[in-house]
Amino acid sequence: MSIIKLLSKKTDKILFTTPSHSQKPMFNTSISNMYNIDYSEVNGFDNLSNPKSSIFYAQAKASEIMNAKQTFFITQGATTAILSAMKALINPGDKVLVARNCHKSVFNGLILTAGIVDWFIPETDENWGIYTHIDCEKLESTFNLNQYKAFIMTSPTYEGINSDIEKIAKLCKKFNIYLIVDEAHGTLNNFSSNLPKSAMEQGADVSINSLHKTAGALNQCALLNIGNNIQNIDIETFQRAINIFQTSSPSYPLLSNIEHCINFLNSEDGNKEINGLFCEIDKLKKDLNRFGVQFYVSENHDQTKILARKEGISGYDLSEIMFDEFNIEDEMNNAISCLYLTGIGTTKSKLEKLKNGLKKVITNPSYEFVKTDFQPFPLTKIQPVDTFNREYMYVNKENSLLKISNKTIMPYPPGIGLLYPGEAIQKWHLDYLDKDVEIMV
Ligand SMILES: Cc1ncc(COP(=O)(O)O)c(C=O)c1O
């Protein structure tokens, strides 16, 4: 089916996925007819790669709202914001510590910057099958081993677990390491007292927000925030890095969507919307607890990411039944649980449908959850920068053990690699590989 045909059909699916806006604007937007507002750098308009007027002022206001020294509007997703931040801070040969639950864009950033990676494994929760927070003691021990240029981590995680950024930022300052926080899923942190403070407020050097994921903006709207206390680098360097990756043709529809989105989140109406969402989710959880539905809860958990499991059924089966019988699509599922993403645009009636569906799923009391087995510590044999365009050959899966993979194994979502090119294939990976495996020569 063509794209045009696909989009002409109205879907009746109830989506708990990104983007959170439910295919409706939740705030004022200039976009009623995209053509009306689609301009380039004509007289009176600004220049995206060297903003001096409208984009400059909109970014300056956003910087204040985001508690940043500088907030840049990015119209090509958090991916571009991550690549730009990495390009600005990391030079070829710099050592970079990366939390392994990073989005794939960080691996691509390592290819582009020629940074030398060491992986850091976040804590895990086997009972839910998820990565959790960064342990500060382990981090400090790792910092003692090498002089890193930057530490790159994700907080909140896809499932909503926030790490203690304030502590991590202090540790990074002590060791003279730049802290880059991928806060793609945590834009609302800056706008709600129900959530931990934002990475900017907690002292990160750089943070990245994806506005479409939870904040009600259109796909590809993102922010790159530079912290107030960043040292030994000027803002111009970030602009130059952004200009490498970002289009030279500004999309005013997307730029205005970003501006509207931030203004809304910062307004009384936005505040009401966010608090209302927390209230409704709280009610939903209390109600569903009585029907054997359990929710992931922890001190630093963002409750807008509803991670649910039901006694007597696997996450995979729950996901399938919810889709087949109730037309409800989750963002992600694993052997144990399903992740229902909410945000600006998740209405009360949508949550009501989720509640009714989850109540009705019939379970089998004899079914017991299995504990999750996480990916082994990665064995990097060839650094990311040297993995692109390598010669490769095929071997039979049985003969691939400890050979160097030329391929990525990556479930999407969440876009977290289980095996990247340049890493040794370990026994654990074999279940995920095809019969013939691409290995580097
Ligand atoms: C943690 C995280 N960071 C970055 C990204 C990239 O975001 P985008 O798709 O806006 O480029 C994603 C996308 O799923 C993500 O989950």
Side-chain angles (χ1 to χ4, degrees):
M1 190 190 302
S2 76
I3 299 172
I4 297 166
K5 267 207 185 128
L6 177 76
L7 293 178
S8 68
K9 291 167 89 186
K10 203 172 163 350
T11 178
D12 52 0
K13 278 199 245 175
I14 301 147
L15 301 175
F16 285 90
T17 62
T18 66
S20 68
H21 56 54
S22 305
Q23 289 65 52
K24 273 202 305 279
M26 290 306 293
F27 41 80
N28 256 341
T29 157
S30 325
I31 308 171
S32 50
N33 177 351
M34 297 259 281
Y35 278 92
N36 276 344
I37 54 168
D38 202 24
Y39 296 96
S40 66
E41 291 94 349
V42 290
N43 253 338
F45 280 74
D46 208 354
N47 182 336
L48 183 61
S49 47
N50 183 19
K52 291 264 190 295
S53 56
S54 58
I55 298 174
F56 176 87
Y57 293 120
Q59 289 189 156
K61 184 173 173 202
S63 309
E64 243 174 71
I65 295 173
M66 299 306 294
N67 297 294
K69 185 173 186 177
Q70 176 68 46
T71 289
F72 293 99
F73 289 4
I74 304 291
T75 57
Q76 287 158 216
T79 295
T80 298
I82 288 170
L83 296 179
S84 307
M86 290 178 73
K87 186 68 194 163
L89 293 176
I90 300 163
N91 293 320
D94 282 344
K95 272 192 124 336
V96 188
L97 187 67
V98 181
R100 182 65 176 193
N101 59 340
C102 69
H103 182 253
K104 63 175 182 164
S105 51
V106 177
F107 184 85
N108 293 332
L110 291 165
I111 296 178
L112 292 169
T113 59
I116 305 297
V117 69
D118 271 353
W119 295 104
F120 183 87
I121 309 293
E123 300 305 291
T124 55
D125 184 334
E126 295 172 338
N127 294 318
W128 285 87
I130 56 172
Y131 284 106
T132 58
H133 62 286
I134 300 292
D135 181 285
C136 290
E137 274 177 35
K138 285 186 195 163
L139 188 64
E140 182 159 17
S141 307
T142 313
F143 283 172
N144 271 314
L145 297 177
N146 278 297
Q147 180 55 52
Y148 293 106
K149 181 74 174 287
F151 174 50
I152 307 178
M153 58 173 288
T154 307
S155 179
T157 62
Y158 221 104
E159 296 84 3
I161 289 107
N162 286 277
S163 289
D164 187 342
I165 301 295
E166 196 172 334
K167 222 167 165 182
I168 296 169
K170 282 189 184 141
L171 211 52
C172 285
K173 285 270 171 309
K174 180 173 148 194
F175 283 85
N176 205 13
I177 295 169
Y178 287 118
L179 173 60
I180 303 177
V181 180
D182 178 352
E183 200 182 42
H185 292 271
T187 307
L188 300 185
N189 284 22
N190 193 52
F191 300 96
S192 170
S193 54
N194 288 306
L195 290 165
K197 286 182 182 164
S198 71
M200 280 292 102
E201 288 173 291
Q202 293 190 67
D205 290 309
V206 174
S207 74
I208 289 105
N209 297 125
S210 180
L211 298 181
H212 71 262
K213 293 198 195 305
T214 57
L218 290 170
N219 270 324
Q220 299 192 29
C221 289
L223 302 178
L224 172 58
N225 307 298
I226 314 304
N228 280 303
N229 297 320
I230 196 162
Q231 282 172 1
N232 302 326
I233 185 160
D234 52 27
I235 294 300
E236 181 51 30
T237 307
F238 286 95
Q239 182 70 67
R240 282 193 294 117
I242 291 168
N243 294 350
I244 295 174
F245 301 106
Q246 187 150 259
T247 175
S248 57
S249 309
S251 165
Y252 278 97
L254 291 184
L255 288 168
S256 65
N257 197 245
I258 294 175
E259 189 177 4
H260 277 304
C261 176
I262 297 170
N263 288 345
F264 173 73
L265 295 175
N266 197 41
S267 70
E268 237 171 73
D269 283 351
N271 198 265
K272 256 194 227 152
E273 188 72 28
I274 299 170
N275 288 339
L277 179 65
F278 275 98
C279 215
E280 291 306 320
I281 290 174
D282 200 46
K283 280 197 246 162
L284 170 136
K285 288 185 172 173
K286 284 193 178 124
D287 199 355
L288 282 171
N289 279 152
R290 295 184 288 124
F291 292 83
V293 184
Q294 302 167 352
F295 297 97
Y296 183 85
V297 212
S298 75
E299 197 191 331
N300 283 328
H301 185 238
D302 169 352
Q303 296 297 318
T304 64
K305 297 163 188 27
I306 305 176
L307 188 62
R309 65 185 193 186
K310 195 163 180 179
E311 283 169 34
I313 188 166
S314 76
Y316 299 131
D317 289 344
L318 180 62
S319 174
E320 204 173 306
I321 295 172
M322 288 292 281
F323 188 73
D324 291 348
E325 294 186 15
F326 307 104
N327 232 347
I328 291 175
E329 190 164 334
D330 55 59
E331 170 76 11
M332 210 166 58
N333 48 75
N334 63 23
I336 298 160
S337 57
C338 293
L339 177 64
Y340 300 99
L341 285 189
T342 69
I344 303 296
T346 308
T347 55
K348 213 167 152 177
S349 77
K350 241 172 108 170
L351 286 170
E352 198 64 25
K353 286 176 184 147
L354 177 64
K355 188 170 82 180
N356 291 336
L358 282 171
K359 268 184 193 173
K360 286 183 192 148
V361 173
I362 295 168
T363 57
N364 170 4
S366 65
Y367 176 85
E368 280 187 30
F369 292 122
V370 283
K371 289 206 166 156
T372 301
D373 186 16
F374 287 87
Q375 59 172 306
F377 197 93
L379 300 175
T380 303
K381 296 287 184 191
I382 295 178
Q383 281 294 327
V385 61
D386 295 320
T387 60
F388 204 71
N389 276 344
R390 294 283 295 215
E391 276 189 45
Y392 62 90
M393 58 182 272
Y394 287 97
V395 293
N396 204 288
K397 183 155 96 170
E398 285 75 59
N399 300 326
S400 67
L401 212 59
L402 293 182
K403 302 271 188 320
I404 302 173
S405 176
N406 191 47
K407 282 274 192 193
T408 303
I409 306 177
M410 181 182 298
Y412 209 99
I416 296 173
L418 303 181
L419 178 71
Y420 284 111
E423 293 179 354
I425 296 165
Q426 302 181 58
K427 196 158 167 260
W428 188 89
H429 298 122
L430 296 181
D431 286 347
Y432 296 88
L433 294 170
D434 292 336
K435 202 159 88 0
D436 293 316
V437 180
E438 237 178 69
I439 60 160
M440 288 180 184
V441 178

